[in-house]
Amino acid sequence: MERHHGGPTVDTVLDTPLPLSVGQEGLWLLQRLAPDSATYNLAGGARMTPAPDPEILARAVRALTDRHAMLRSRYTETDGQPCRVVEAVGTLGELTAQEVPDATDEELDALVRAEVRRPFRLDTEGPFRAVLLRRRHDAVALVVTHHIATDAFSQWLLWRDLLQAYEAFATGHDDPGWEPLPVAYDDFVEREQMLLDSSRGKRQAEFWQEEAAGAQAAELPTDRPRPAVSSQTGASLLRRLPDRLSDKVLRTAAQRGVSPFALTLGAFQSLLHRWGGQRDFLLACPASTRRSSAAQVVGYFVNPVLIRGRFGRDTTLADAMTQAADRVRQATARVSYPYPLVARDAGTTGPLYRISVTMVATDRFGPGMGGAASGEPMTVAGIETTYLEIPHLEGQCDLSLEITRDVYGLTMALRYDTDLFERATVERLFDVFLRFVEAAADDPDQRVSRIPLTDDAERRALLALGGAGSGGTP
């Protein structure tokens, strides 16, 4: 078992195959099936003005990978079983610095996108790379990881530790001042196996079998036929809710005794019901399996939990949000049971979900980083550093809705599979979703069936078309 301290990691199991979690095994299989896919790449970047010193940043990157052994692990197979092999410090995870002195912002963005979309070779190069794109007066520092080694919260841990190390080294200190890591990811893997072997694990398996019984994955009409094999390519739309709407969502959720996530989830499920016509369906909410003891550990601590939505003719938005709150509560109590086993035990030919929803609260990232997640500049060793939102994890699902809650309000990111949907369709879907959110915040007691899918201008245009088609006046 690995044990960590604030400086370089002391490894007692170098070159020893370590078991993966069930979720990691699923990601390993997906990577083997599509080795050239970047669907499960996570990415974050920061614009730094003036450009940082490449040698100091390279030293900070080495310290980062020394601290977090997940980043300098290779993911391979032994005797037909996927496993993780930890490499010695300094062997994986070096900084790649590229001088692009005259690059325009558009050219810089293109270089960033190319790095994010470059697939990992997990068995040889590991799941982590750091890149510095350096212009004359500023630079973009980029960290890309594979999901098998990190999750969204881990990405913020990486950035916090990297910037702390750069600050320390740039100001003449040899120690970044990191707190020791009391546990390792392998503790989580061991605990998961203990759950699966226990009576508690069997009860959780029975709950998920019942939750999935008789339900279908939520689906929407697509612009193009679903291909036999997905290319796993996607795109994103990002919108910040107007302040007045964010305030109303928070206020109404408090009045109704539900979380803002339950309100927005209920509104989204209501939209899926109206748009797709399904009365009983499943979607997934990626949830954290991280314990407080692993608060500083980089790893894959996420598990999709199934959320069932049921709608009738008289279902109100209040009913939908209350139902969502209850299902999230029930699912969260059983979040430790791995989804790949739920899917295996369901025995269905198709996936249990095609659409996912998640909410991220930036105050979880701690002082400084929470503000950075909202786009506030930070000062690191005299360098103005602004975190960049970089599209990633596109193409995993038909649709993925990510709701970010920060001190300023709510931001919605809607990622979609470009094999299935045109951008114009997703833009209209986004418009209608915001209409449902506003309806849930304004009048949650109205029936879901009464909420219009078109606004006044669209209805007038449709009426005009109908009149023209029947010989009337357009």
Side-chain angles (χ1 to χ4, degrees):
M1 192 70 66
E2 300 166 26
R3 285 294 179 264
H4 309 267
H5 55 81
T9 304
V10 176
D11 293 302
T12 58
V13 289
L14 288 177
D15 299 323
T16 300
L18 300 170
L20 305 183
S21 68
V22 175
Q24 285 183 308
E25 289 179 352
L27 289 170
W28 167 253
L29 176 61
L30 290 170
Q31 186 71 6
R32 290 295 299 270
L33 293 173
D36 295 325
S37 172
T39 299
Y40 291 93
N41 288 7
L42 284 77
R47 189 179 296 276
M48 305 181 76
T49 308
D53 185 309
E55 292 185 3
I56 297 176
L57 186 60
R59 183 183 173 193
V61 169
R62 285 193 295 272
L64 181 71
T65 55
D66 287 354
R67 175 171 169 81
H68 298 292
M70 289 289 282
L71 304 180
R72 52 184 169 83
S73 296
R74 292 184 298 105
Y75 297 79
T76 183
E77 287 186 356
T78 299
D79 298 328
Q81 292 295 316
C83 61
R84 178 170 72 95
V85 178
V86 180
E87 298 293 331
V89 297
T91 54
L92 292 176
E94 294 292 311
L95 174 72
T96 299
Q98 184 176 350
E99 298 291 333
V100 288
D102 301 315
T104 65
D105 286 348
E106 291 75 16
E107 291 169 338
L108 198 61
D109 289 343
L111 291 170
V112 167
R113 289 195 300 271
E115 282 294 338
V116 174
R117 293 171 180 169
R118 185 159 59 90
F120 282 100
R121 304 302 178 208
L122 295 175
D123 57 344
T124 56
E125 68 179 21
F128 170 87
R129 60 175 171 262
V131 178
L132 180 66
L133 302 170
R134 194 164 180 255
R135 297 196 291 192
R136 295 187 190 279
H137 304 296
D138 67 355
V140 168
L142 179 66
V143 169
V144 187
T145 61
H146 192 280
H147 212 353
I148 199 170
T150 62
D151 53 23
F153 188 76
S154 295
Q155 291 293 106
W156 288 100
L157 292 178
L158 296 182
W159 275 104
R160 183 204 62 189
D161 288 354
L162 180 63
L163 295 178
Q164 284 180 354
Y166 186 89
E167 174 92 39
F169 299 154
T171 54
H173 297 86
D174 291 329
D175 185 351
W178 293 324
E179 292 292 325
L181 300 179
V183 299
Y185 187 76
D186 304 288
D187 297 304
F188 167 75
V189 177
E190 182 179 352
R191 190 173 69 248
E192 180 183 75
Q193 190 57 54
M194 291 174 61
L195 169 71
L196 298 180
D197 293 338
S198 69
S199 59
R200 177 168 164 259
K202 292 179 175 61
R203 290 193 299 273
Q204 291 194 9
E206 291 169 357
F207 170 86
W208 288 117
Q209 290 171 15
E210 182 177 341
E211 188 73 355
Q216 293 182 326
E219 249 183 296
L220 296 180
T222 61
D223 296 316
R224 287 180 289 276
R226 188 180 299 278
V229 178
S230 171
S231 67
Q232 295 189 326
T233 56
S236 302
L237 294 178
L238 183 68
R239 297 187 186 178
R240 186 163 193 86
L241 263 62
D243 291 345
R244 59 167 187 79
L245 181 53
S246 289
D247 291 343
K248 282 196 295 186
V249 166
L250 299 179
R251 184 168 58 251
T252 301
Q255 291 170 350
R256 295 286 171 150
V258 300
S259 67
F261 178 59
L263 187 150
T264 49
L265 174 58
F268 189 64
Q269 289 177 304
S270 299
L271 168 63
L272 297 179
H273 161 63
R274 288 292 310 282
W275 193 288
Q278 293 171 286
R279 292 178 175 270
D280 187 357
F281 55 83
L282 293 170
L283 53 73
C285 291
S288 176
T289 56
R290 185 187 297 269
R291 287 188 173 183
S292 58
S293 59
Q296 309 302 318
V297 176
V298 166
Y300 180 72
F301 295 97
V302 66
N303 187 38
V305 294
L306 297 173
I307 302 296
R308 192 161 183 169
R310 292 185 172 96
F311 289 83
R313 291 179 58 86
D314 296 330
T315 302
T316 65
L317 286 165
D319 295 333
M321 67 176 73
T322 300
Q323 175 185 234
D326 177 67
R327 300 327 295 163
V328 168
R329 179 179 59 81
Q330 296 278 3
T332 302
R334 298 162 178 86
V335 68
S336 299
Y337 193 82
Y339 170 76
L341 301 185
V342 178
R344 181 201 66 187
D345 296 341
T348 58
T349 55
L352 292 177
Y353 72 91
R354 297 185 184 275
I355 297 173
S356 69
V357 186
T358 187
M359 175 176 272
V360 178
T362 60
D363 57 5
R364 293 179 58 214
F365 303 144
M369 296 309 294
S374 306
E376 293 181 3
M378 303 172 60
T379 300
V380 180
I383 299 171
E384 183 176 273
T385 304
T386 305
Y387 186 76
L388 301 177
E389 182 66 37
I390 298 173
H392 57 271
L393 294 178
E394 298 171 335
Q396 288 185 23
C397 299
D398 291 6
L399 291 169
S400 300
L401 175 66
E402 182 179 285
I403 307 160
T404 300
R405 180 182 177 186
D406 57 34
V407 293
Y408 303 106
L410 300 172
T411 300
M412 311 282 187
L414 191 60
R415 302 185 175 97
Y416 61 97
D417 188 334
T418 51
D419 284 346
L420 304 177
F421 297 106
E422 299 283 355
R423 187 175 184 87
T425 300
V426 181
E427 287 177 341
R428 180 168 178 261
L429 181 72
F430 217 151
D431 290 340
V432 180
F433 170 53
L434 295 183
R435 193 177 306 146
F436 272 66
V437 171
E438 183 127 29
D442 280 340
D443 183 12
D445 292 319
Q446 62 182 305
R447 292 181 184 177
V448 171
S449 59
R450 297 291 181 86
I451 302 172
L453 295 178
T454 56
D455 60 20
D456 292 340
E458 290 171 326
R459 284 193 293 274
R460 286 195 296 269
L462 289 172
L463 290 170
L465 288 172
S470 61
T473 302

